[in-house]
Amino acid sequence: MLPIWGRTDRNGLAGQASLPAARPLSRLLGVRTAWTTVGDGEFFCPGCGGDRNYRRRTGRRRFVLLGIPLVPRGATGPVVECAACEDRFAADVLDHPTTHRFSAMLRDAVHTVVLAVLSAGGVSSRTALETAVATLRGAGFDDCTDVQLAALVEALLTDAGRVSEHCGPGAGLAIELHEALDPLAPHLAPAGRESILLQGARIALADGPYTPAERDVLSTAGAALTMCTDEVSQLLEAARTPS
């Protein structure tokens, strides 16, 4: 068999001609997925570590031979693909709130706990009301005033009175607490859950020891935050000791 020869080098010696580079085997043989976008939106990307746009995609797999798709291999997905880093994740990544949504949920949770504690203890105490206003302003409600807060609590007590005729005392407050805290709790670290409960406890203690109604509200809030009874009791006792 004759060798393949090309041009000679500057010394007059013949050299073997270079052959075309071989194409990667993975491009010629294997299974490929053709993706189709079926939706989009905004999510918290675990890869980027921030809020990003995403594409929700489904795919169809085919066996490829010599770069030509031949045999169908079934569907795959859906997946969530980040528009920035292009990483793909399981669809349950959308269960995690965006940073913006998480901040709003956290603010609503603090607001609800504050109102529930004031409703349980009344708004007759100036100290408790001032503590509540400071707590809400620290949570982002910059325009909160004692007059507005007192009026809101009075309205809430009126509504709770209507509900209690059918559901029993405190049922309306318990419903409000669970609606605000249940969706948030899975995304909070233990310190975050404790912080929300401690803010309510400090308002309750601003005008003296816990009343039974205040303890009930704080216990309900702790349960909604997925804290066990012992954790709640220890935290409420710790709040009684000045730091």
Side-chain angles (χ1 to χ4, degrees):
M1 180 177 182
L2 295 175
I4 301 175
W5 299 104
R7 62 185 178 183
T8 59
D9 61 20
R10 61 185 177 182
N11 296 318
L13 301 176
Q16 188 172 0
S18 58
L19 297 175
R23 298 177 66 184
L25 183 61
S26 60
R27 298 184 60 184
L28 302 177
L29 178 67
V31 177
R32 291 188 190 175
T33 302
W35 294 101
T36 302
T37 300
V38 295
D40 56 26
E42 187 180 44
F43 81 132
F44 181 86
C45 176
C48 296
D51 295 348
R52 300 289 186 270
N53 292 326
Y54 73 83
R55 294 182 291 263
R56 187 180 179 94
R57 315 190 79 183
T58 58
R60 298 196 66 82
R61 298 181 301 168
R62 288 182 178 273
F63 179 77
V64 174
L65 179 62
L66 300 179
I68 301 174
L70 297 176
V71 183
R73 300 287 292 178
T76 186
V79 298
V80 174
E81 181 181 274
C82 177
C85 67
E86 298 187 347
D87 282 351
R88 296 189 181 109
F89 309 94
D92 61 4
V93 74
L94 298 180
D95 294 338
H96 192 291
T98 63
T99 302
H100 177 74
R101 175 59 181 155
F102 179 78
S103 297
M105 292 169 67
L106 190 57
R107 291 173 68 247
D108 288 346
V110 174
H111 191 266
T112 303
V113 170
V114 168
L115 290 180
V117 172
L118 286 178
S119 298
V123 291
S124 57
S125 168
R126 172 59 54 182
T127 305
L129 194 57
E130 289 176 349
T131 304
V133 170
T135 299
L136 289 178
R137 287 180 177 175
F141 296 92
D142 299 334
D143 298 331
C144 178
T145 66
D146 54 353
V147 175
Q148 294 172 346
L149 189 56
L152 190 56
V153 172
E154 290 298 334
L156 181 61
L157 286 172
T158 300
D159 290 341
R162 296 194 190 104
V163 173
S164 65
E165 296 176 2
H166 306 284
C167 303
L173 294 177
I175 293 171
E176 293 284 342
L177 286 168
H178 278 284
E179 287 180 346
L181 300 178
D182 285 353
L184 177 66
H187 308 293
L188 284 174
R193 301 187 195 110
E194 293 176 0
S195 176
I196 292 176
L197 193 61
L198 276 173
Q199 292 179 75
R202 293 184 184 116
I203 295 170
L205 291 170
D207 57 351
Y210 300 115
T211 65
E214 289 171 340
R215 276 193 173 274
D216 287 345
V217 164
L218 292 169
S219 295
T220 300
L225 290 166
T226 66
M227 299 174 65
C228 69
T229 303
D230 289 343
E231 288 177 312
V232 172
S233 298
Q234 291 172 8
L235 199 64
L236 296 186
E237 289 306 311
R240 296 165 64 104
T241 303
S243 56

